[in-house]
Structure formats: structure tokens, C-alpha cells
Amino acid sequence: MKILSATTIRNEGPYLLEWIAWHQMLGVTDFLVYSNDCEDGSDRLLDLLDSHAVISHQRHDPPSGKSIQWSALHSAWRHDLRKRADWMLISDLDEFPVIHAGAGRLADLIGAVPADTDAIALPWRLFGANGRSDIADAPVTAQFNRAAPPGMIHPIAATFFKSLFRPKSFAGAGVHRPRHRKEQIPNWVDGSGLAMPSYIGERDKRLSLLGVHENRALAEMHHYSLRSAQGFMVKSQRGLPNRSSKRIDLAYWIERNFNAVENAAALRFQPALVQRIEALKALPGVADLHRSAIDWHRTRFRQIVATPQGYELFCRIRIAAESTVLPDAEQRTLLRMFSRVEASG
């Protein structure tokens, strides 16, 4: 079975080896990685991993005015690796699928859902910074083990999902979910393997699992969108690949930094993960470029925090500490307000 993982990156060198090793451990057979405007040596590390036949690296320079991520995904959809794939996962370097079924591999998840399934929604689980400040040379999945509770519905991002899907059943790629063909409604299931309601499954633009309860019994997507405070500061300068108008600022930190419950689901995979990371580092030249990327990020943090704006943001996110999960009734009230604002906009 061919399983393709596709992603876009910029300046994420410290996190590359873990992300690749994690997905290898889960059974991904092919990687298609698009990079753009890297300053931390990510592109050179990817070139090297490509030369060692670990991944396929594409340097990507999108047309002026076009979304970096969407342009790369359109290219990925035309790639031979996509055409040969049985299943495909489009995700970012801060997203890690965690499979609760069987031995925790993607094949276990696929085997646990109905045979005619075309797509599986992997519900996001938002992970906070866990009080960590430094950029550490250690797996993200081991450093950050506190998260939002599974039933949180506000902010709305807590209900978003990513998709594991059969590319042959769809018309094109999407950041969160693939695009349907006009003549076909694919069979969608949620992270518990249950059929998705039509108001989600049939609507390409629906990114939320709001209204679908107990939806992560078989699988979910751990989303480490903050990592450490210092790592977040470097990310704030990079921006988002698909939403250049959305700032990575104090508001972004507050809407993601939930450390309400301990989540140790990723920890059982750490021994196997570390072995795979070390195997990647043993490839000629890889360990040196990995260390160089970490050094670049630490230096970049020091440069950012030496500016008035950088110092101000860093102080504020440290003072903000962690975000509070609101009572269920208040979450629902705010969600109704959000719906009215969206409708009026």
C-alpha cells in the first residue's frame, strides 16, 4: 500500500527529522516536500534527504500574488507520487497523526474503518507550549504533552480536522480536505470510523467537525502550533503559508495555548521514534545540517527579541502563560456570537 505525505515548509529545520521519522513509523511510504525562501538551511537538509532517497524535495517559487501553500498543493496534485498513491495525507510540520487503533500505524486505522471509505477526518487536538521557553533539540511530541480537552468547541479551530484520503476518489488537493468531483460524493468517516453527516461530508469548504461528538476513538491529529515560546517567536516572523493576512501574534498564542489536560498518547511511540531520528542523523551530512538549523533558530530568536516589537511580544506571551478553557455554556454562547458575525460578514 502506497501512502503519500505532502507538505510545504519554510524555516523549519529543527523539526524536520522528527516529522519525517514519525510519519515513517506510522507507515508513510513516500514524502513530497515543497520548500520556499528558506534561511535556516531547511532546503539544503531536504536536498540531502532527497539524495539519500528519504523524501522527494521540490523547491517552490510561486507566482507573484499566489498563495505559497495552495500553489504547492496544485503542483503536488500533478506529481507522479500522487498519481501512484493509494492514500494521501496533506499536513504541516507541526501536525502529527496519532492512531489509537491497533499498533498505531496508518494501516491499522485504514483497516478499522469501512472498506468503502474514501476519506477519514483526523480531528485536531490543540497542544499548548507546556510552559517551555527554550528551543530544545528534542522531539516536539515528547516535550509538549498538555492539550485542549477533546470536547472543546471554542475557539472554532479546536473543531478543525485534516484528512487521510484516497486521491483517486477526489478532484484536487486542499489544505484541510480534498476537493470533491462534481459527479461523486465520496464516503467520509470521522476519527471514530463513523459516517460523517452530509452537512460536513458533502461540503468542500466545511473545515469543522462541530456537531460530531466522540469523533477521535481511532485517530486524531496532534497540532503543536506553538511549540516553545522562543520557537513561537521565530514562527511569528515566518508567517502562515496559506493565510498571509493572518498575523502570528499574541492573539494567535492565546487561541492555541491550551494546557488543560495531560495527553500522553504520543509518548508510547517515543522509543521507536528516537531510533528512526537517529537513523536519519546517521546518514552522511544530515546531523550537521540538523544542528546548524537549530543554531540558526536560536540566533534568530536573539535577534528578534533584541527589537522593541520582539521584546514586547515575547514578554506578553510569557506573562500570558496558558489559556483558559471556558465553561461549556460560555463556549456555546461565544460560538453563537461567532456564527452571527460570520453570517453578517
Side-chain angles (χ1 to χ4, degrees), residues 134-190:
D134 295 347
I135 298 171
D137 186 6
V140 167
T141 50
Q143 292 184 69
F144 307 100
N145 60 358
R146 299 199 67 85
M152 192 169 77
I153 61 172
H154 189 276
I156 190 68
T159 69
F160 284 4
F161 65 92
K162 287 296 181 78
S163 308
L164 177 67
F165 62 96
R166 299 182 192 268
K168 293 180 176 63
S169 299
F170 293 87
V175 175
H176 284 263
R177 57 184 292 169
R179 293 187 293 107
H180 291 172
R181 293 194 179 101
K182 291 182 179 179
E183 70 281 3
Q184 178 184 355
I185 300 298
N187 293 320
W188 277 86
V189 300
D190 63 22

Side-chain angles (χ1 to χ4, degrees), residues 26-335:
L26 264 60
V28 169
T29 57
D30 298 285
F31 294 86
L32 186 52
V33 183
Y34 289 81
S35 71
N36 66 283
D37 303 320
C38 292
E39 303 164 280
D40 70 343
S42 292
D43 49 356
R44 291 185 290 120
L45 178 53
L46 289 167
D47 280 341
L48 188 56
L49 291 168
D50 188 318
S51 73
H52 290 308
V54 175
I55 61 150
S56 177
H57 176 216
Q58 308 287 319
R59 290 174 182 255
H60 186 61
D61 184 18
S64 177
K66 297 293 185 180
S67 162
I68 294 168
Q69 191 169 32
W70 278 105
S71 178
L73 292 182
H74 290 322
S75 176
W77 196 255
R78 298 189 296 269
H79 200 279
D80 285 344
L81 286 175
R82 195 280 304 175
K83 296 175 183 177
R84 294 197 296 266
D86 299 300
W87 290 85
M88 185 174 185
L89 176 66
I90 296 171
S91 58
D92 298 325
L93 263 286
D94 57 8
E95 295 177 316
F96 291 76
V98 174
I99 312 303
H100 305 307
R105 292 168 58 84
L106 291 169
D108 296 308
L109 171 61
I110 293 166
V113 300
D116 62 351
T117 296
D118 295 303
I120 306 168
L122 305 177
W124 265 0
R125 178 71 76 93
L126 302 181
F127 279 72
N130 202 22
R132 293 182 175 268
S133 178
D134 295 347
I135 298 171
D137 186 6
V140 167
T141 50
Q143 292 184 69
F144 307 100
N145 60 358
R146 299 199 67 85
M152 192 169 77
I153 61 172
H154 189 276
I156 190 68
T159 69
F160 284 4
F161 65 92
K162 287 296 181 78
S163 308
L164 177 67
F165 62 96
R166 299 182 192 268
K168 293 180 176 63
S169 299
F170 293 87
V175 175
H176 284 263
R177 57 184 292 169
R179 293 187 293 107
H180 291 172
R181 293 194 179 101
K182 291 182 179 179
E183 70 281 3
Q184 178 184 355
I185 300 298
N187 293 320
W188 277 86
V189 300
D190 63 22
S192 292
L194 303 176
M196 292 258 270
S198 60
Y199 67 85
I200 299 177
E202 296 179 7
R203 294 170 60 187
D204 278 356
K205 294 184 178 180
R206 174 75 182 226
L207 309 180
S208 168
L209 289 173
L210 191 65
V212 180
H213 306 291
E214 306 299 330
N215 54 29
R216 57 185 79 232
L218 297 177
E220 57 190 328
M221 182 71 85
H222 286 196
H223 192 195
Y224 305 91
S225 55
L226 302 181
R227 304 186 183 109
S228 70
Q230 293 186 13
F232 175 79
M233 292 297 296
V234 178
K235 177 176 178 173
S236 73
Q237 300 294 299
R238 187 198 74 200
L240 296 172
N242 66 325
R243 296 181 65 186
S244 58
S245 61
K246 182 176 176 62
R247 297 177 60 192
I248 300 180
D249 53 12
L250 180 62
Y252 187 98
W253 175 271
I254 291 171
E255 291 177 354
R256 301 291 194 282
N257 192 24
F258 294 99
N259 302 278
V261 298
E262 183 178 8
N263 186 316
L267 298 184
R268 73 176 174 121
F269 301 105
Q270 291 305 307
L273 174 67
V274 170
Q275 285 184 348
R276 285 189 175 271
I277 292 173
E278 292 305 314
L280 291 173
K281 286 182 178 178
L283 297 172
V286 169
D288 288 341
L289 286 177
H290 172 74
R291 283 193 296 269
S292 177
I294 293 172
D295 290 342
W296 185 93
H297 279 247
R298 289 169 175 166
T299 299
R300 185 69 184 119
F301 164 73
R302 291 192 293 269
Q303 293 169 343
I304 295 168
V305 83
T307 67
Q309 297 85 356
Y311 169 78
E312 181 180 81
L313 176 57
F314 186 65
C315 288
R316 287 176 174 175
I317 66 173
R318 294 301 288 157
I319 292 170
E322 60 187 45
S323 301
T324 301
V325 179
L326 297 172
D328 183 70
E330 188 168 357
Q331 288 188 52
R332 295 184 182 281
T333 297
L334 291 175
L335 192 60

